[in-house]
Amino acid sequence: MSQKVTTTLTVNGQRHSITALPDTPLLWVLREHLKLTGTKYGCGVGQCGACTVHIDGKPNYACLNPISDLAGRSITTIEGLSRNSSHPLQKAWITEQVPQCGYCQSGQVMAAAALLAANKKPSDADIDAAMTGIVCRCGTYNAIRAAIKRAAGALA
């Protein structure tokens, strides 16, 4: 049986010492230890993308990353994207009325933010490729694409 270890994580620019089992998924550290509940639990097996966060600037599923692999790496959650929902993606999400049930939205926004950081003017194919791992049960994919395009325009 594993013993708890202390791991130092940098989340949203702040260092945190976390004592937990080494195989504890980042998702549970974020939600239970750090009380950052914007990152959602959807499936726990990396199939839905609701738990998408950035690890060193790249989108990753928080449910699949044990904290033992994350020491010294930079983690950004939806709470770290902007403190006051002023990020162009968050504004575009509201303007385009993307959310329905809202459950996948933090994962969608984080995946879209990684896309726009790498590609300032994505095509529909680029958007589809970047967003394919995030399941929206409500089917708001057209609104998501419109919001990403709106945000790309605002960032240009």
Side-chain angles (χ1 to χ4, degrees):
M1 194 156 176
S2 292
Q3 291 189 9
K4 290 183 177 181
V5 297
T6 299
T7 305
T8 301
L9 301 177
T10 301
V11 180
N12 300 332
Q14 295 185 325
R15 291 171 53 93
H16 301 274
S17 291
I18 304 297
T19 302
L21 295 173
D23 62 348
T24 302
L26 174 60
L27 175 63
W28 298 122
V29 169
L30 295 173
R31 292 184 61 79
E32 301 297 325
H33 293 260
L34 300 179
K35 306 302 182 201
L36 296 172
T37 58
T39 303
K40 304 300 182 196
Y41 172 80
C43 68
V45 294
Q47 294 295 307
C48 74
C51 67
T52 299
V53 297
H54 294 176
I55 299 175
D56 296 332
K58 306 287 184 205
N60 278 274
Y61 299 149
C63 71
L64 297 181
N65 285 276
I67 62 165
S68 60
D69 293 347
L70 299 172
R73 301 184 69 193
S74 176
I75 299 157
T76 305
T77 68
I78 190 74
E79 292 92 345
L81 196 58
S82 75
R83 296 198 183 277
N84 58 2
S85 299
S86 63
H87 189 282
L89 271 168
Q90 292 167 313
K91 289 180 174 181
W93 240 248
I94 293 166
T95 300
E96 295 294 336
Q97 299 180 8
V98 174
Q100 296 296 309
C101 79
Y103 208 77
C104 69
Q105 297 308 302
S106 63
Q108 298 279 3
V109 170
M110 294 306 289
L115 167 64
L116 293 179
N119 182 348
K120 301 294 184 208
K121 193 173 180 185
S123 66
D124 285 349
D126 295 331
I127 293 169
D128 291 348
M131 304 304 289
T132 193
I134 319 295
V135 176
C136 176
R137 295 177 221 172
C138 301
T140 64
Y141 298 108
N142 290 332
I144 289 167
R145 182 183 291 123
I148 293 170
K149 287 183 173 187
R150 178 180 293 275
L155 290 168

